[in-house]
Amino acid sequence: QLRLTQLGTVDPQAGTLAAHGDLRLWWRDPRLAFNGTAEGGCVDTISISGNNLDRIWTPDIYVANSATERASAAAGTASLAQVDPDGHVWMSEQVFLIVKNHFNLAKLPYDEHTARIVIASYSQDLSQLRLVARGGAVGPGRSGAA
């Protein structure tokens, strides 16, 4: 889930759009499963933040149409992950994106634009990782979109 919170500079000449937002991911890692309170454990959720996120596996995703070398965490912000007893993980990170898009200005001032943000994985293929919109369905196509 990519929730845009602020639209930044739109540069039609350079074909770029800047935005701030929250990137949220959900996955299951059975190696992180633990006994919750129902099974005699002490907690039902473990929170992990900052540099401690390097201690668990996280999807190596990136913005494929980024105009910068890599989409980055917003300055001064932290990432947060929560792990449930069954190994389900939720992670949220504030990001700053600059993405490439084509702007057709032929119909100014009545033009409309749709900006695409393409998210992919560096190392995982479709047999190992599927990126699906939260609440969405995995489809049969190469992209996995329904």
Short mmCIF file of all heavy atoms in Angstrom, two decimals, residues 2-3 36 46 48 87 113 123 128:
data_model
loop_
_atom_site.label_atom_id
_atom_site.label_comp_id
_atom_site.label_asym_id
_atom_site.label_seq_id
_atom_site.Cartn_x
_atom_site.Cartn_y
_atom_site.Cartn_z
N LEU A 2 0.69 2.10 -0.92
CA LEU A 2 1.39 3.37 -0.96
C LEU A 2 0.36 4.46 -0.79
O LEU A 2 -0.49 4.67 -1.64
CB LEU A 2 2.15 3.55 -2.28
CG LEU A 2 2.92 4.85 -2.44
CD1 LEU A 2 3.98 5.00 -1.35
CD2 LEU A 2 3.56 4.92 -3.82
N ARG A 3 0.43 5.13 0.34
CA ARG A 3 -0.51 6.21 0.65
C ARG A 3 0.23 7.52 0.49
O ARG A 3 1.16 7.80 1.24
CB ARG A 3 -1.02 6.05 2.09
CG ARG A 3 -2.02 7.07 2.49
CD ARG A 3 -2.51 6.79 3.92
NE ARG A 3 -2.83 8.04 4.54
CZ ARG A 3 -2.07 8.68 5.41
NH1 ARG A 3 -0.94 8.19 5.80
NH2 ARG A 3 -2.45 9.83 5.92
N GLY A 36 2.01 -16.29 21.53
CA GLY A 36 1.29 -15.13 22.01
C GLY A 36 0.71 -15.41 23.39
O GLY A 36 0.92 -16.48 23.97
N ILE A 46 5.07 -7.79 18.59
CA ILE A 46 6.43 -7.30 18.80
C ILE A 46 6.65 -6.17 17.82
O ILE A 46 6.45 -6.34 16.62
CB ILE A 46 7.47 -8.41 18.58
CG1 ILE A 46 7.27 -9.53 19.61
CG2 ILE A 46 8.88 -7.83 18.67
CD1 ILE A 46 8.15 -10.74 19.37
N ILE A 48 9.23 -3.49 16.01
CA ILE A 48 10.64 -3.37 15.63
C ILE A 48 10.78 -2.05 14.87
O ILE A 48 10.00 -1.78 13.95
CB ILE A 48 11.08 -4.54 14.72
CG1 ILE A 48 10.78 -5.87 15.40
CG2 ILE A 48 12.54 -4.41 14.35
CD1 ILE A 48 10.94 -7.07 14.47
N GLY A 87 3.60 -14.97 12.80
CA GLY A 87 4.66 -14.59 11.88
C GLY A 87 4.23 -13.57 10.84
O GLY A 87 5.04 -13.22 9.97
N HIS A 113 -3.84 14.31 -16.13
CA HIS A 113 -2.68 13.42 -16.09
C HIS A 113 -2.87 12.33 -15.04
O HIS A 113 -3.47 12.57 -14.00
CB HIS A 113 -1.40 14.20 -15.77
CG HIS A 113 -1.14 15.30 -16.73
ND1 HIS A 113 -0.59 15.07 -17.97
CD2 HIS A 113 -1.38 16.63 -16.67
CE1 HIS A 113 -0.49 16.21 -18.62
NE2 HIS A 113 -0.97 17.17 -17.86
N SER A 123 15.24 -8.91 -6.27
CA SER A 123 15.73 -10.29 -6.34
C SER A 123 14.66 -11.36 -6.44
O SER A 123 14.98 -12.49 -6.79
CB SER A 123 16.60 -10.59 -5.11
OG SER A 123 15.80 -10.53 -3.94
N GLN A 128 8.14 -16.23 -6.20
CA GLN A 128 8.56 -16.06 -4.82
C GLN A 128 7.89 -14.89 -4.12
O GLN A 128 7.77 -14.89 -2.91
CB GLN A 128 10.08 -15.84 -4.78
CG GLN A 128 10.84 -17.01 -5.35
CD GLN A 128 12.29 -16.64 -5.62
OE1 GLN A 128 12.59 -15.57 -6.13
NE2 GLN A 128 13.19 -17.53 -5.26
#
